[in-house]
Amino acid sequence: MDDSGGKSINDLPDALLQHILSFLETKDAVRTSILSRKWEHLWKSLSNLEFHQCYFKAKRKIFMNSVERVLLLRDSSNIEKFTLSCGIDDATRTRTWVSAAVNRNVKELCVNFYEGEESESFVFPLCLFTCATLTKLKITSHGVLRLSSSISLPCLKILSLQHVVFPDEDSTQQILNLRTLEKLKIRYYDWKNLKAITISSPKLRSLDICEMHRNDLRGSDACHVMIFGTALTFFSFSGGFWDDYCLFKSSSLVEAYFHVYGCYERSREIAHRAYKHIVGLSTVKHLTLTPDVLKVLDCAPDLFAHTPTVMNLTSLRLSESFFEFLIFALIPSGTFSTALLILKLLVSLIELSEELPTNCAKDDWILEPVPPCFQSCLKCIEIRDFVGLIDELDAVALLLKNAIALDDMVITCSTTGSEGQRKIREQLFELPGWSEIGRLNFV
């Protein structure tokens, strides 16, 4: 009882107090042991443990001793989530920490090892790759990911691997194709030790690939990555196609993000590699594209005559500035299919204005032929970084006129000031069709 006759926090059940402690950083939760005898041992049953060396600044020994103290004094209850972010100053001790979490039937394990000499040669304990309770695994290692020759993770659903160098084809094939895997993220990785790899986990619903930036395009030594997504609903690729990827069509694909970057030296080989992705995206419903997709494809214009159609497209998001938006005036009649007409949305309006013949008035800009999806299934277009220039307004007018299936057009404008906002709002409402389906946001 407190002085006012009411109940204090100490009167709450231990289970509820432990739940409250789970929202604190581990080091702060441990500090509550000084509050009273009741609190002295509560932290020892914490199910979520987080250790971040950066919070200890330059006090490396204090951090390491703190981790070991918590693990040694903690009771034998299971660990739900274990997070470790540190440099590898003592590989043996670090492996012991990971093993301790596995031995306590951990469900979520997140390990982030800073870049350094020992991180290059760090070997994870073998028990990690046979953990029967693990449902989520995230590894950032800045070195070769040394895997067990036999991997058995029967409950793993989410896998994230960042800044890793994959060691060989056999073990990589195992870790990326676990039968229970539903979400896979591989970012800033290196395939240099592999010649070919297949990603085809039967339950995989989400795949996020982000290449590590390279200064050179891998040619004959490139890794050939084949992606079969029988259950795939979300796919994201960001990179410069330094290796060779092939996404096979997935009828289940709902949403896709396609971003090409770092391709300063354009080449036909990169264009052909990007084209394989376009083929794989032909059944997607919601598509986000960035400008360099088209710039890469322009290196192989012969591909334009053989492009697939995007038959199920219902929404298109144009990433980057609205100045990367295209009116289709320069597209020759019959040359491009739906997919390339959509990709042509990403060519700069400024560049287009400069390339138009002097006798071609902007009022004459037309879509010929009109993409089939514009007339049947394209329901939503989102445009960002709109500032209200004449070319932008002309682009919106053309879309409103030709995208007859459109139900929603969302424009996000970065213009500040009430007068500027009022002017843009008035200009858009003057366009035929805007008042019925248009939405304007200011940020």
Side-chain angles (χ1 to χ4, degrees):
M1 302 288 285
D2 60 20
D3 295 337
S4 62
K7 291 185 177 181
S8 72
I9 191 172
N10 286 337
D11 295 316
L12 295 174
D14 286 359
L16 181 54
L17 293 176
Q18 288 166 351
H19 179 68
I20 294 172
L21 288 180
S22 69
F23 292 97
L24 299 178
E25 297 289 345
T26 300
K27 62 182 181 66
D28 294 326
V30 173
R31 288 172 179 168
T32 63
S33 62
I34 66 173
L35 295 178
S36 69
R37 284 188 176 182
K38 182 177 180 66
W39 290 82
E40 186 176 356
H41 302 289
L42 283 174
W43 67 269
K44 295 180 181 179
S45 298
L46 284 176
S47 59
N48 297 341
L49 298 179
E50 291 190 33
F51 303 103
H52 299 276
Q53 185 175 344
C54 61
Y55 296 160
F56 289 79
K57 299 181 180 180
K59 301 174 182 178
R60 176 178 61 85
K61 288 186 178 180
I62 295 178
F63 167 76
M64 299 186 74
N65 291 335
S66 296
V67 175
E68 294 200 335
R69 178 175 177 269
V70 170
L71 294 176
L72 286 171
L73 296 179
R74 189 184 181 278
D75 63 24
S76 59
S77 60
N78 288 341
I79 295 176
E80 292 286 323
K81 182 177 181 180
F82 184 83
T83 301
L84 177 63
S85 179
C86 64
I88 303 178
D89 300 300
D90 188 326
T92 301
R93 294 173 76 180
T94 307
R95 275 193 294 272
T96 301
W97 302 342
V98 176
S99 296
V102 173
N103 292 333
R104 290 290 180 267
N105 299 317
V106 66
K107 291 184 178 180
E108 297 184 25
L109 180 65
C110 178
V111 180
N112 178 15
F113 292 145
Y114 304 156
E115 192 170 5
E117 291 184 6
E118 289 205 51
S119 65
E120 289 289 328
S121 58
F122 182 80
V123 179
F124 283 92
L126 294 179
C127 63
L128 171 61
F129 302 107
T130 57
C131 181
T133 58
L134 200 60
T135 61
K136 182 178 180 179
L137 176 61
K138 181 178 180 180
I139 296 177
T140 303
S141 69
H142 294 281
V144 176
L145 180 62
R146 302 184 187 280
L147 300 168
S148 170
S149 59
S150 178
I151 300 174
S152 177
L153 297 168
C155 293
L156 193 68
K157 294 183 178 182
I158 301 174
L159 176 63
S160 176
L161 303 172
Q162 300 188 51
H163 293 283
V164 302
V165 178
F166 289 101
D168 57 72
E169 291 172 5
D170 290 339
S171 60
T172 302
Q173 194 76 39
Q174 286 189 63
I175 195 72
L176 297 185
N177 290 280
L178 295 165
R179 297 192 62 81
T180 55
L181 206 59
E182 297 178 4
K183 185 175 181 179
L184 175 61
K185 178 183 292 187
I186 47 178
R187 302 175 70 84
Y188 314 116
Y189 52 86
D190 199 326
W191 304 114
K192 66 181 181 181
N193 297 320
L194 285 64
K195 284 295 183 182
I197 194 72
T198 299
I199 299 176
S200 60
S201 183
K203 294 183 178 180
L204 191 64
R205 295 184 289 105
S206 175
L207 177 58
D208 184 347
I209 296 176
C210 182
E211 284 191 299
M212 179 186 296
H213 191 280
R214 299 172 60 95
N215 293 323
D216 60 316
L217 174 70
R218 295 180 67 184
S220 59
D221 65 335
C223 179
H224 298 276
V225 183
M226 293 169 286
I227 302 167
F228 298 88
T230 55
L232 203 63
T233 59
F234 173 81
F235 176 72
S236 174
F237 177 86
S238 300
F241 289 102
W242 290 281
D243 286 288
D244 191 8
Y245 299 82
C246 184
L247 172 65
F248 290 85
K249 289 182 181 180
S250 172
S251 59
S252 60
L253 195 61
V254 174
E255 183 178 359
Y257 176 87
F258 192 14
H259 175 35
V260 180
Y261 63 84
C263 301
Y264 305 115
E265 295 296 329
R266 311 294 180 193
S267 74
R268 287 181 56 82
E269 187 167 3
I270 293 179
H272 279 267
R273 292 178 181 180
Y275 173 77
K276 294 177 185 178
H277 265 51
I278 299 301
V279 173
L281 296 175
S282 60
T283 61
V284 72
K285 294 181 180 180
H286 309 287
L287 180 61
T288 299
L289 299 169
T290 58
D292 280 347
V293 172
L294 180 64
K295 295 177 183 177
V296 167
L297 291 174
D298 276 342
C299 297
D302 55 297
L303 294 175
F304 291 166
H306 307 285
T307 53
T309 58
V310 183
M311 299 302 298
N312 301 325
L313 194 67
T314 59
S315 69
L316 173 66
R317 174 172 294 175
L318 308 173
S319 184
E320 307 295 341
S321 169
F322 186 76
F323 277 113
E324 303 296 339
F325 194 81
L326 170 73
I327 302 303
F328 300 92
L330 294 182
I331 302 177
S333 176
T335 301
F336 303 102
S337 66
T338 303
L340 261 293
L341 285 169
I342 295 301
L343 289 176
K344 282 290 182 180
L345 288 167
L346 301 170
V347 173
S348 171
L349 253 181
I350 296 177
E351 293 175 0
L352 176 64
S353 298
E354 295 173 350
E355 294 174 6
L356 283 173
T358 55
N359 60 352
C360 180
K362 292 178 182 178
D363 291 341
D364 296 331
W365 291 4
I366 59 173
L367 285 176
E368 186 182 346
V370 175
C373 69
F374 273 39
Q375 299 178 317
S376 60
C377 59
L378 184 60
K379 302 296 184 181
C380 175
I381 294 179
E382 296 183 25
I383 302 169
R384 292 183 289 173
D385 297 328
F386 187 90
V387 294
L389 299 179
I390 296 300
D391 286 339
E392 295 175 333
L393 292 165
D394 289 338
V396 172
L398 188 73
L399 287 173
L400 289 170
K401 178 180 179 181
N402 289 276
I404 59 177
L406 208 61
D407 291 331
D408 195 17
M409 178 180 285
V410 183
I411 294 179
T412 300
C413 182
S414 57
T415 298
T416 58
S418 57
E419 181 60 26
Q421 293 179 10
R422 183 193 61 78
K423 183 178 180 181
I424 289 176
R425 188 176 286 107
E426 290 178 352
Q427 290 173 322
L428 287 172
F429 270 96
E430 290 177 359
L431 301 179
W434 171 260
S435 60
E436 287 80 15
I437 63 172
R439 287 191 291 144
L440 180 62
N441 300 321
F442 292 98
V443 295

